[in-house]
Amino acid sequence: MGHFIETFDQTTLFVEDIGEGTPVIFLHGWPVNHRMFDHQMAVLPEKGYRFIGVDLRGFGKSDKPSSGYTYDALADDLRAVIDELQLDDAVLAGFSMGGAIAIRYMARHEGKGIRKLALLGAAAPVFTERDDFQFGIPKDNVNGLIEGSYEDRAKMLEDFGELFFGHEPSEAYNRWFHSLAMDASPHATIACARTLRDADLRDDLSAIEVPTAILHGKNDEICPFDLAEVMESGIEAAEIVPFNDSGHSLFYDEREKFTEELIRFFEK
């Protein structure tokens, strides 16, 4: 079942809503859409969970406006979804940029409607290195993604995919995943890359009071594993689940473990 939900600024978001039971809200990473959770969309409803996949503004089937790509605005969009669906006991699961948005939501909206949080290869609390933060990736790397988006977005995404996957996907899967990224608005792709580059969520971590699972690939070249350790130290009730054989794409590299660990966390 698909919902179209209007946000605070009349942007319409597409939300996939499948199954019954405990609701699990999935926030995708940059620059794809909720369909990246294809396996979880198939499996979780069979296990008694309600899969709720949100296409962030600018991505997938959601509207693609010219503004609203800060973490504050994206967190406010999530609040609109939670309010419209009347969720009060959900699990929030955010991957990469989606993990950063989930953290901002928990701080900005005091975790309304959320009982547990799963951070999946999260691009947080700070995605890029700076004078007082030695982790993350160099800002110039993100600047290169932005420049590539202007020059040849398809090629930039193809090159980005070489860092993304810890295990080389099949040619068919690679084509499909690339198509998810190409469905995004070019403007949203660039604007969200700037947010990833510049945002700082360190002060948000202490506001998270719900049980939190941090699933993170040990070989992640996009969001280095050090970020998971920083998040764990800043969130009171956090637990790291390392994925020793995964890069950034832990949902693909260790697919069965990824789903099993999520379900274990849901039921804990």
Side-chain angles (χ1 to χ4, degrees):
M1 182 180 194
H3 301 279
F4 287 96
I5 293 174
E6 193 171 274
T7 72
F8 65 99
D9 65 350
Q10 289 74 58
T11 295
T12 299
L13 304 181
F14 177 77
V15 179
E16 192 85 64
D17 190 349
I18 304 170
E20 299 178 355
T22 299
V24 186
I25 306 165
F26 284 89
L27 302 181
H28 63 81
W30 180 90
V32 289
N33 57 57
H34 84 277
R35 292 170 60 206
M36 66 162 284
F37 298 109
D38 185 72
H39 182 68
Q40 289 69 45
M41 205 185 312
V43 172
L44 290 181
E46 295 177 352
K47 301 288 187 181
Y49 295 94
R50 180 181 172 188
F51 174 96
I52 300 173
V54 180
D55 280 351
L56 302 172
R57 65 169 62 210
F59 302 89
K61 295 180 182 178
S62 291
D63 283 353
K64 299 170 173 61
S66 62
S67 61
Y69 298 104
T70 66
Y71 286 151
D72 283 354
L74 294 165
D76 291 350
D77 285 353
L78 176 59
R79 174 66 183 266
V81 171
I82 288 171
D83 286 351
E84 177 67 22
L85 298 182
Q86 299 180 14
L87 302 175
D88 60 10
D89 194 30
V91 178
L92 178 58
F95 172 76
S96 197
M97 182 182 75
I101 295 164
I103 290 171
R104 176 52 52 87
Y105 176 83
M106 298 301 291
R108 183 172 172 84
H109 293 283
E110 300 179 336
K112 183 182 184 296
I114 303 302
R115 69 179 181 89
K116 287 187 176 182
L117 174 66
L119 300 173
L120 318 171
V126 182
F127 184 53
T128 54
E129 298 170 344
R130 51 203 68 193
D131 290 344
D132 63 345
F133 193 78
Q134 62 184 343
F135 311 109
I137 63 173
K139 284 191 174 184
D140 282 348
N141 289 17
V142 184
N143 291 335
L145 297 175
I146 293 169
E147 292 167 9
S149 296
Y150 282 117
E151 294 171 6
D152 187 339
R153 188 164 61 103
K155 181 64 166 62
M156 179 277 292
L157 293 169
E158 185 178 83
D159 293 343
F160 183 69
E162 294 180 3
L163 293 175
F164 193 92
F165 291 101
H167 297 283
E168 186 173 353
S170 68
E171 184 178 343
Y173 186 92
N174 209 23
R175 284 198 306 271
W176 171 76
F177 202 78
H178 186 269
S179 74
L180 302 186
M182 288 301 294
D183 277 347
S185 154
H187 175 73
T189 299
I190 293 166
C192 284
R194 291 185 177 125
T195 297
L196 277 163
R197 180 192 64 195
D198 298 336
D200 187 339
L201 302 174
R202 282 176 286 184
D203 290 343
D204 294 42
L205 298 180
S206 62
I208 299 172
E209 298 179 346
V210 300
T212 301
I214 300 170
L215 281 61
H216 215 104
K218 291 284 285 187
N219 304 315
D220 195 329
E221 295 184 69
I222 293 172
C223 297
F225 190 78
D226 289 342
L227 296 182
E229 296 174 332
V230 175
M231 287 185 283
E232 182 190 36
S233 68
I235 300 172
E236 183 175 352
E239 168 198 8
I240 292 182
V241 181
F243 281 66
N244 295 322
D245 198 31
S246 288
H248 193 47
S249 56
L250 64 166
F251 64 92
Y252 176 85
D253 295 334
E254 296 181 77
R255 185 177 66 184
E256 289 77 13
K257 177 181 177 179
F258 181 79
T259 302
E260 288 169 3
E261 289 291 350
L262 281 178
I263 291 174
R264 181 187 69 81
F265 176 61
F266 300 160
E267 297 179 349
K268 190 173 179 181

